[in-house]
Every structure is written in C-alpha cells, then in structure tokens.
Short mmCIF file of all heavy atoms in Angstrom, two decimals:
data_model
loop_
_atom_site.label_atom_id
_atom_site.label_comp_id
_atom_site.label_asym_id
_atom_site.label_seq_id
_atom_site.Cartn_x
_atom_site.Cartn_y
_atom_site.Cartn_z
N ARG A 1434 -1.38 3.09 -3.62
CA ARG A 1434 -2.21 4.28 -3.78
C ARG A 1434 -3.64 3.88 -4.14
O ARG A 1434 -3.84 3.18 -5.15
CB ARG A 1434 -1.65 5.20 -4.87
CG ARG A 1434 -0.34 5.87 -4.50
CD ARG A 1434 0.04 6.90 -5.55
NE ARG A 1434 0.33 6.29 -6.84
CZ ARG A 1434 1.55 5.94 -7.25
NH1 ARG A 1434 2.59 6.11 -6.45
NH2 ARG A 1434 1.74 5.42 -8.46
N PRO A 1435 -4.64 4.29 -3.34
CA PRO A 1435 -6.03 4.04 -3.72
C PRO A 1435 -6.31 4.64 -5.10
O PRO A 1435 -5.77 5.70 -5.44
CB PRO A 1435 -6.84 4.76 -2.63
CG PRO A 1435 -5.90 4.89 -1.47
CD PRO A 1435 -4.53 5.05 -2.08
N LEU A 1436 -7.13 3.97 -5.87
CA LEU A 1436 -7.37 4.40 -7.25
C LEU A 1436 -8.02 5.77 -7.34
O LEU A 1436 -7.90 6.46 -8.35
CB LEU A 1436 -8.22 3.36 -7.98
CG LEU A 1436 -7.56 1.98 -8.12
CD1 LEU A 1436 -8.50 1.02 -8.84
CD2 LEU A 1436 -6.23 2.08 -8.86
N ARG A 1437 -8.74 6.19 -6.29
CA ARG A 1437 -9.37 7.52 -6.33
C ARG A 1437 -8.35 8.64 -6.42
O ARG A 1437 -8.69 9.76 -6.79
CB ARG A 1437 -10.26 7.73 -5.10
CG ARG A 1437 -9.53 7.66 -3.78
CD ARG A 1437 -10.47 7.91 -2.61
NE ARG A 1437 -9.82 7.72 -1.33
CZ ARG A 1437 -9.72 6.57 -0.69
NH1 ARG A 1437 -10.29 5.49 -1.21
NH2 ARG A 1437 -9.09 6.48 0.46
N ARG A 1438 -7.09 8.37 -6.06
CA ARG A 1438 -6.06 9.40 -6.12
C ARG A 1438 -5.41 9.50 -7.50
O ARG A 1438 -4.63 10.41 -7.76
CB ARG A 1438 -4.97 9.13 -5.08
CG ARG A 1438 -5.44 9.22 -3.65
CD ARG A 1438 -4.25 9.29 -2.72
NE ARG A 1438 -4.60 8.95 -1.36
CZ ARG A 1438 -3.72 8.81 -0.38
NH1 ARG A 1438 -2.44 8.96 -0.63
NH2 ARG A 1438 -4.12 8.51 0.84
N GLY A 1439 -5.69 8.55 -8.37
CA GLY A 1439 -5.09 8.55 -9.69
C GLY A 1439 -5.73 9.57 -10.61
O GLY A 1439 -6.76 10.17 -10.31
N SER A 1440 -5.09 9.78 -11.74
CA SER A 1440 -5.62 10.69 -12.76
C SER A 1440 -6.25 9.84 -13.86
O SER A 1440 -5.56 9.09 -14.57
CB SER A 1440 -4.49 11.55 -13.33
OG SER A 1440 -4.97 12.40 -14.35
N TRP A 1441 -7.57 9.97 -14.02
CA TRP A 1441 -8.31 9.11 -14.93
C TRP A 1441 -9.15 9.95 -15.89
O TRP A 1441 -9.75 10.94 -15.49
CB TRP A 1441 -9.22 8.16 -14.15
CG TRP A 1441 -8.53 7.42 -13.07
CD1 TRP A 1441 -8.47 7.74 -11.75
CD2 TRP A 1441 -7.76 6.22 -13.21
NE1 TRP A 1441 -7.73 6.83 -11.05
CE2 TRP A 1441 -7.27 5.88 -11.92
CE3 TRP A 1441 -7.42 5.40 -14.29
CZ2 TRP A 1441 -6.47 4.76 -11.70
CZ3 TRP A 1441 -6.64 4.28 -14.06
CH2 TRP A 1441 -6.17 3.97 -12.79
N THR A 1442 -9.20 9.54 -17.14
CA THR A 1442 -10.10 10.18 -18.09
C THR A 1442 -11.53 9.75 -17.77
O THR A 1442 -11.74 8.75 -17.06
CB THR A 1442 -9.76 9.76 -19.53
OG1 THR A 1442 -10.05 8.35 -19.67
CG2 THR A 1442 -8.29 10.01 -19.86
N PRO A 1443 -12.53 10.48 -18.26
CA PRO A 1443 -13.92 10.06 -18.02
C PRO A 1443 -14.19 8.62 -18.47
O PRO A 1443 -14.90 7.88 -17.79
CB PRO A 1443 -14.73 11.06 -18.84
CG PRO A 1443 -13.89 12.30 -18.86
CD PRO A 1443 -12.48 11.79 -18.95
N GLU A 1444 -13.60 8.20 -19.57
CA GLU A 1444 -13.80 6.83 -20.06
C GLU A 1444 -13.13 5.82 -19.14
O GLU A 1444 -13.69 4.76 -18.84
CB GLU A 1444 -13.25 6.69 -21.49
CG GLU A 1444 -13.32 5.28 -22.07
CD GLU A 1444 -14.75 4.74 -22.19
OE1 GLU A 1444 -15.71 5.52 -22.09
OE2 GLU A 1444 -14.88 3.51 -22.38
N GLU A 1445 -11.93 6.15 -18.65
CA GLU A 1445 -11.25 5.26 -17.71
C GLU A 1445 -12.04 5.15 -16.41
O GLU A 1445 -12.16 4.06 -15.84
CB GLU A 1445 -9.84 5.79 -17.42
CG GLU A 1445 -8.86 5.60 -18.58
CD GLU A 1445 -7.53 6.27 -18.32
OE1 GLU A 1445 -7.50 7.27 -17.57
OE2 GLU A 1445 -6.52 5.81 -18.88
N ALA A 1446 -12.58 6.27 -15.95
CA ALA A 1446 -13.37 6.26 -14.72
C ALA A 1446 -14.61 5.39 -14.89
O ALA A 1446 -15.02 4.68 -13.97
CB ALA A 1446 -13.77 7.69 -14.35
N ARG A 1447 -15.21 5.45 -16.09
CA ARG A 1447 -16.38 4.61 -16.37
C ARG A 1447 -16.02 3.14 -16.28
O ARG A 1447 -16.76 2.33 -15.69
CB ARG A 1447 -16.94 4.93 -17.76
CG ARG A 1447 -18.19 4.11 -18.13
CD ARG A 1447 -18.58 4.28 -19.58
NE ARG A 1447 -17.64 3.65 -20.49
CZ ARG A 1447 -17.62 2.34 -20.77
NH1 ARG A 1447 -18.49 1.53 -20.19
NH2 ARG A 1447 -16.74 1.85 -21.62
N LEU A 1448 -14.87 2.77 -16.86
CA LEU A 1448 -14.44 1.38 -16.83
C LEU A 1448 -14.11 0.91 -15.42
O LEU A 1448 -14.43 -0.22 -15.04
CB LEU A 1448 -13.23 1.20 -17.76
CG LEU A 1448 -13.52 1.30 -19.26
CD1 LEU A 1448 -12.22 1.31 -20.05
CD2 LEU A 1448 -14.41 0.15 -19.72
N LEU A 1449 -13.48 1.78 -14.62
CA LEU A 1449 -13.18 1.42 -13.23
C LEU A 1449 -14.47 1.13 -12.46
O LEU A 1449 -14.55 0.19 -11.67
CB LEU A 1449 -12.41 2.55 -12.55
CG LEU A 1449 -10.95 2.73 -12.97
CD1 LEU A 1449 -10.36 3.97 -12.30
CD2 LEU A 1449 -10.11 1.50 -12.63
N LYS A 1450 -15.48 1.97 -12.71
CA LYS A 1450 -16.77 1.77 -12.05
C LYS A 1450 -17.41 0.47 -12.52
O LYS A 1450 -17.95 -0.31 -11.71
CB LYS A 1450 -17.69 2.96 -12.32
CG LYS A 1450 -19.03 2.86 -11.60
CD LYS A 1450 -19.85 4.12 -11.82
CE LYS A 1450 -21.18 4.04 -11.06
NZ LYS A 1450 -22.01 5.26 -11.24
N GLU A 1451 -17.36 0.23 -13.81
CA GLU A 1451 -17.94 -0.99 -14.39
C GLU A 1451 -17.25 -2.24 -13.84
O GLU A 1451 -17.89 -3.27 -13.61
CB GLU A 1451 -17.80 -0.94 -15.91
CG GLU A 1451 -18.44 -2.10 -16.63
CD GLU A 1451 -18.29 -1.97 -18.14
OE1 GLU A 1451 -18.75 -0.95 -18.69
OE2 GLU A 1451 -17.69 -2.87 -18.76
N LEU A 1452 -15.94 -2.13 -13.58
CA LEU A 1452 -15.17 -3.26 -13.06
C LEU A 1452 -15.33 -3.43 -11.55
O LEU A 1452 -14.84 -4.40 -10.97
CB LEU A 1452 -13.68 -3.07 -13.40
CG LEU A 1452 -13.32 -3.22 -14.88
CD1 LEU A 1452 -11.96 -2.61 -15.17
CD2 LEU A 1452 -13.35 -4.69 -15.30
N GLY A 1453 -16.02 -2.48 -10.92
CA GLY A 1453 -16.31 -2.59 -9.49
C GLY A 1453 -15.12 -2.27 -8.60
O GLY A 1453 -14.99 -2.84 -7.51
N MET A 1454 -14.26 -1.36 -9.03
CA MET A 1454 -13.08 -1.00 -8.24
C MET A 1454 -13.47 -0.16 -7.02
O MET A 1454 -13.93 0.97 -7.16
CB MET A 1454 -12.07 -0.24 -9.10
CG MET A 1454 -11.49 -1.07 -10.23
SD MET A 1454 -10.55 -2.48 -9.60
CE MET A 1454 -9.82 -3.07 -11.11
N ILE A 1455 -13.29 -0.72 -5.84
CA ILE A 1455 -13.76 -0.06 -4.62
C ILE A 1455 -12.93 1.16 -4.27
O ILE A 1455 -13.47 2.20 -3.89
CB ILE A 1455 -13.73 -1.04 -3.43
CG1 ILE A 1455 -14.51 -2.31 -3.76
CG2 ILE A 1455 -14.31 -0.38 -2.18
CD1 ILE A 1455 -14.42 -3.38 -2.68
N SER A 1456 -11.60 1.05 -4.40
CA SER A 1456 -10.75 2.16 -3.97
C SER A 1456 -10.81 3.35 -4.93
O SER A 1456 -10.22 4.39 -4.67
CB SER A 1456 -9.29 1.70 -3.80
OG SER A 1456 -8.67 1.44 -5.04
N ALA A 1457 -11.54 3.19 -6.04
CA ALA A 1457 -11.73 4.30 -6.97
C ALA A 1457 -12.91 5.19 -6.56
O ALA A 1457 -13.06 6.30 -7.06
CB ALA A 1457 -11.96 3.78 -8.38
N LYS A 1458 -13.73 4.73 -5.64
CA LYS A 1458 -14.91 5.47 -5.24
C LYS A 1458 -14.52 6.71 -4.43
O LYS A 1458 -13.58 6.67 -3.62
CB LYS A 1458 -15.84 4.59 -4.40
CG LYS A 1458 -16.36 3.37 -5.16
CD LYS A 1458 -17.26 2.52 -4.28
CE LYS A 1458 -17.63 1.22 -4.99
NZ LYS A 1458 -18.44 1.43 -6.20
N PRO A 1459 -15.22 7.84 -4.63
CA PRO A 1459 -14.92 9.04 -3.84
C PRO A 1459 -15.22 8.80 -2.37
O PRO A 1459 -16.10 8.02 -2.02
CB PRO A 1459 -15.85 10.10 -4.44
CG PRO A 1459 -16.96 9.32 -5.08
CD PRO A 1459 -16.33 8.05 -5.57
#
C-alpha cells in the first residue's frame, strides 16, 4: 500500500515528509 493511503497524524505526516517518503506524497 502506498503510504499516501495510510492514516497519519499531522506529526507523522511531517516525519514522513522529512524522511523523504515518495509514496506518501499526494
């Protein structure tokens, strides 16, 4: 499952972005 489909808190989303997770991007 691409990370963008997961349920993330605002803080978790910030960390995913900071870690450079590509599949989390809209």
Side-chain angles (χ1 to χ4, degrees):
R1434 291 188 294 267
L1436 297 179
R1437 61 179 174 273
R1438 295 195 198 173
S1440 178
W1441 309 96
T1442 67
E1444 176 61 15
E1445 287 174 332
R1447 181 189 70 80
L1448 289 171
L1449 288 175
K1450 183 175 182 180
E1451 183 179 302
L1452 290 163
M1454 295 297 188
I1455 306 174
S1456 72
K1458 298 179 187 295

